[in-house]
Amino acid sequence: MKLPHVAIVGATGAVGVEMLLCLEQRNFQLGELTLLASARSAGKKMKFRGEEIVVKELTHDAFEGIDIALFSAGGGISLEFAPSAAAAGAVVIDNSSAFRMEEGVPLVVPEINPEAAKDRPKGIIANPNCTTIISLMALAPLHEKFVLKSVIASSYQAVSGSGAQGIIELEEQVKAIATGQEFTPRVYPRQIAFNVIPQVDSFTDNGYTKEEMKMANEGRKILGHDTLKVSCTCVRVPVYRSHSVSITAQFEQEPELDKARAAYDGKAGVHVVDDPSQMIFPVPLDTTGKDDCLVGRIRKSLVLDNALDIWVVGDQVRKGAALNAVQIAEIL
Amino acid sequence: MKLPHVAIVGATGAVGVEMLLCLEQRNFQLGELTLLASARSAGKKMKFRGEEIVVKELTHDAFEGIDIALFSAGGGISLEFAPSAAAAGAVVIDNSSAFRMEEGVPLVVPEINPEAAKDRPKGIIANPNCTTIISLMALAPLHEKFVLKSVIASSYQAVSGSGAQGIIELEEQVKAIATGQEFTPRVYPRQIAFNVIPQVDSFTDNGYTKEEMKMANEGRKILGHDTLKVSCTCVRVPVYRSHSVSITAQFEQEPELDKARAAYDGKAGVHVVDDPSQMIFPVPLDTTGKDDCLVGRIRKSLVLDNALDIWVVGDQVRKGAALNAVQIAEIL
């Protein structure tokens, strides 16, 4: 069998760099690797398995001979170039939100709905929103046992979700405050250092942000659960890389606590870290640079019947983006 | 009328200092002011209205002639000394959790249940938990119009909630990280800089923390609403002074959005800051050092009937503690 020729589109971005790292760390079997980026970044050299690869400019005819194209360069680039890549015969795995809700485009979390990746009439597979992936890693094992009815969530989202610029903005603001310098927020509408911002992405007509609606719409599509109700408040916090989500999940069947904990036994990519008596619970720093999501604070809701309150953390750049995309490539 | 002799117990702590500031800024009408603290802090001088006051040692006979004693020196000190103060004829306003749920001790937010302060058979009035006060400032006007059934909340709590030591720990960790120094968390079980910690106060048997149960128990007592259901996840975030709370509130009657916003018209101590089209929503820095709580992100829940998702911020040291205590003293 010929090993696939893989391309990363947006190779020099925060997620692109992490995709390269995931391919290397997971010893991904590939024949050739092409790195693509904007004209501005073309010519840069990036290391992969000890060798230097020169980044090429992204053009419509850059996809000749490519089998798998991992896109992470924003929705605009995906809309413009993913169809060219698919037409050239590549399977596109797209990290942007451009195609996620489109009919005929599977939306895949490999631990949850790997079978969906098989049927891709448009040659495109979408990688879900980061907060959605991390939340579903906690919810899917419970859904399998107790059948989800509704999800109420509040997120604590890292600045890596805004790409390298978000990380730089937090670093710069912390420095400016320490030295008494003035600064003007560029990436976020308000200061993010020593502050939290209850807004991620732009607002929609119902008062929810696009990010909040992604949790609802993408969650339903990935779980194949049209009647699932989701209400979410997405909040940016001054954390560098890992997202956390506080979730109240209601089920059709009673989720007894021991059965809920056992639901994670043997599941790939998610672990329970939950022992209040020993002050053990997961925090975002625990998952930074790691593959697996961690679930804790599992307890019965004091408000809703058949419901649990839980807490999940996961690396936004990794399981929330790059790793999930590479895992999709692995199941192809 | 003779102006009251006021004492602050724990005058040198974070909340004690802020109580002094509130008394001065609000031009509180007092005849004499006594500052009390541990033997370690006795002899320190603190400024009040341009004059220096020497801090005295807290003893059981320190309350002779005092009319109002504002306590903020932790639950142990309150349990030991509040009865002596009350026996000496002072009205105790206690910021600790020691007496909050005790029968015969009113638990008061002056904008919500000022009448409760009148009947105080034990001579003690309790100041509620900070997250509870800030949440109720947002919920009480809605409860008045639509009648609360349940509250599901996730908090974003500032380090000031752990007193001056919490603030110092965040500052020190940020500095240590900037200079590549090692550090060991002392106040919090995990690093708080660039992290969030889903634990505030110790755990109880049901898996919820004491802080989370305060929201439930104190909320019911303040609103006089025994059947109110509350489920809460309290999370510490690297913010210095203001708490934020993401709340899903369900009501008996339908909370139409325009009526919900109008519920805050003319209410003291709380304002609506909510215009998504202009990217306007409240963040914790907006309330730092300020008296009023701010409510935004008001929208219909996508999960529960007759429910709203809202976001509230308020200064933890001020409305969450010192200001509320001084306001109780004002209504006496």
Side-chain angles (χ1 to χ4, degrees), chain B residues 29-325:
Chain B
Q29 297 298 302
L30 54 78
E32 202 175 331
L33 181 63
T34 296
L35 304 181
L36 298 169
S38 65
R40 199 165 38 91
S41 295
K44 278 192 187 170
K45 288 172 186 170
M46 298 180 77
K47 279 227 167 178
F48 181 67
R49 292 178 184 162
E51 281 175 44
E52 281 194 333
I53 303 182
V54 178
V55 176
K56 291 183 190 165
E57 186 181 347
L58 171 65
T59 58
H60 283 282
D61 48 16
F63 298 97
E64 194 60 43
I66 284 171
D67 301 299
I68 299 172
L70 301 165
F71 271 70
S72 187
I77 296 293
S78 292
L79 281 171
E80 190 179 346
F81 291 94
S84 310
V91 176
V92 171
I93 300 169
D94 180 31
N95 191 48
S96 83
S97 63
F99 300 101
R100 285 182 194 150
M101 296 310 296
E102 199 166 304
E103 197 127 353
V105 174
L107 186 64
V108 177
V109 181
E111 292 89 345
I112 300 174
N113 62 338
E115 70 291 346
K118 283 178 196 152
D119 184 28
R120 39 178 198 270
K122 301 190 177 174
I124 300 172
I125 301 170
N127 204 36
N129 165 266
C130 47
T131 310
T132 307
I133 294 177
I134 291 163
S135 299
L136 288 186
M137 288 300 288
L139 290 170
L142 300 173
H143 174 53
E144 206 175 289
K145 279 212 169 171
F146 311 114
V147 188
L148 264 175
K149 270 179 73 174
S150 71
V151 172
I152 294 170
S154 294
S155 73
Y156 301 69
Q157 296 185 221
V159 293
S160 60
S162 315
Q165 288 309 312
I167 294 174
I168 291 168
E169 178 138 316
L170 175 55
E171 284 172 344
E172 287 183 347
Q173 289 184 0
V174 169
K175 246 183 242 173
I177 291 165
T179 55
Q181 309 282 314
E182 297 273 311
F183 59 88
T184 308
R186 290 169 292 112
V187 177
Y188 300 112
R190 307 294 305 270
Q191 176 183 326
I192 183 62
F194 310 113
N195 200 17
V196 306
I197 303 174
Q199 168 268 333
V200 178
D201 211 335
S202 50
F203 286 93
T204 69
D205 287 344
N206 64 1
Y208 288 81
T209 61
K210 281 187 186 170
E211 182 86 356
E212 291 162 355
M213 295 314 296
K214 285 174 192 169
M215 272 280 280
N217 297 324
E218 297 185 20
R220 283 189 276 266
K221 180 165 176 175
I222 295 163
L223 294 176
H225 186 346
D226 292 346
T227 59
L228 177 65
K229 289 182 177 181
V230 179
S231 206
C232 190
T233 302
C234 286
V235 181
R236 190 75 67 190
V237 297
V239 167
Y240 281 111
R241 268 185 71 129
S242 277
H243 285 0
S244 310
V245 194
S246 168
I247 299 174
T248 297
Q250 189 175 34
F251 302 92
E252 297 287 350
Q253 286 136 46
E254 199 196 326
E256 286 171 28
L257 280 182
D258 51 347
K259 286 187 190 164
R261 290 205 177 87
Y264 296 98
D265 291 350
K267 292 291 177 195
V270 59
H271 301 288
V272 174
V273 173
D274 188 17
D275 187 352
S277 72
Q278 302 298 311
M279 290 287 273
I280 288 171
F281 39 75
V283 300
L285 283 181
D286 292 337
T287 48
T288 296
K290 304 265 173 67
D291 287 351
D292 293 349
C293 296
L294 304 177
V295 183
R297 303 288 331 262
I298 303 171
R299 59 215 195 275
K300 286 282 183 106
S301 165
L302 303 177
V303 166
L304 301 179
D305 293 333
N306 293 348
L308 297 173
D309 281 1
I310 65 172
W311 171 260
V312 58
V313 299
D315 187 310
Q316 182 274 328
V317 193
R318 224 170 161 87
K319 184 59 189 169
L323 171 66
N324 198 73

Side-chain angles (χ1 to χ4, degrees), chain A residues 242-310:
Chain A
S242 276
H243 286 0
S244 309
V245 194
S246 167
I247 299 174
T248 298
Q250 191 175 33
F251 302 91
E252 297 287 350
Q253 285 135 47
E254 200 196 326
E256 285 170 31
L257 280 183
D258 52 346
K259 285 187 190 164
R261 291 206 175 87
Y264 296 98
D265 290 351
K267 292 290 178 195
V270 60
H271 301 287
V272 173
V273 173
D274 187 18
D275 187 353
S277 72
Q278 301 299 312
M279 290 287 273
I280 288 172
F281 39 75
V283 300
L285 283 181
D286 292 337
T287 48
T288 295
K290 305 265 172 70
D291 287 350
D292 293 349
C293 295
L294 304 177
V295 182
R297 301 290 330 264
I298 302 171
R299 58 215 196 276
K300 286 283 184 106
S301 165
L302 303 177
V303 166
L304 301 179
D305 293 334
N306 292 350
L308 297 173
D309 282 0
I310 64 172

Side-chain angles (χ1 to χ4, degrees), chain A residues 201-263:
Chain A
D201 211 334
S202 50
F203 285 95
T204 69
D205 288 343
N206 64 0
Y208 287 81
T209 61
K210 282 187 185 170
E211 183 85 355
E212 290 161 357
M213 294 314 296
K214 284 173 193 169
M215 273 279 280
N217 296 324
E218 296 185 20
R220 283 189 277 267
K221 181 166 175 174
I222 295 162
L223 294 177
H225 186 346
D226 291 346
T227 58
L228 177 65
K229 289 182 176 179
V230 179
S231 207
C232 189
T233 301
C234 286
V235 181
R236 189 75 67 191
V237 298
V239 167
Y240 283 112
R241 267 185 73 130
S242 276
H243 286 0
S244 309
V245 194
S246 167
I247 299 174
T248 298
Q250 191 175 33
F251 302 91
E252 297 287 350
Q253 285 135 47
E254 200 196 326
E256 285 170 31
L257 280 183
D258 52 346
K259 285 187 190 164
R261 291 206 175 87

Side-chain angles (χ1 to χ4, degrees), chain A residues 72-144:
Chain A
S72 187
I77 295 293
S78 293
L79 282 171
E80 192 180 344
F81 291 93
S84 309
V91 176
V92 171
I93 299 169
D94 181 29
N95 192 47
S96 83
S97 63
F99 299 101
R100 285 181 194 151
M101 296 310 295
E102 200 166 303
E103 197 127 354
V105 174
L107 185 65
V108 176
V109 181
E111 293 89 346
I112 300 174
N113 61 338
E115 70 292 346
K118 283 179 197 153
D119 184 28
R120 40 178 197 269
K122 300 189 176 174
I124 300 172
I125 300 170
N127 204 37
N129 165 266
C130 48
T131 311
T132 307
I133 293 177
I134 292 163
S135 299
L136 290 186
M137 287 301 289
L139 290 170
L142 299 173
H143 173 54
E144 206 176 289

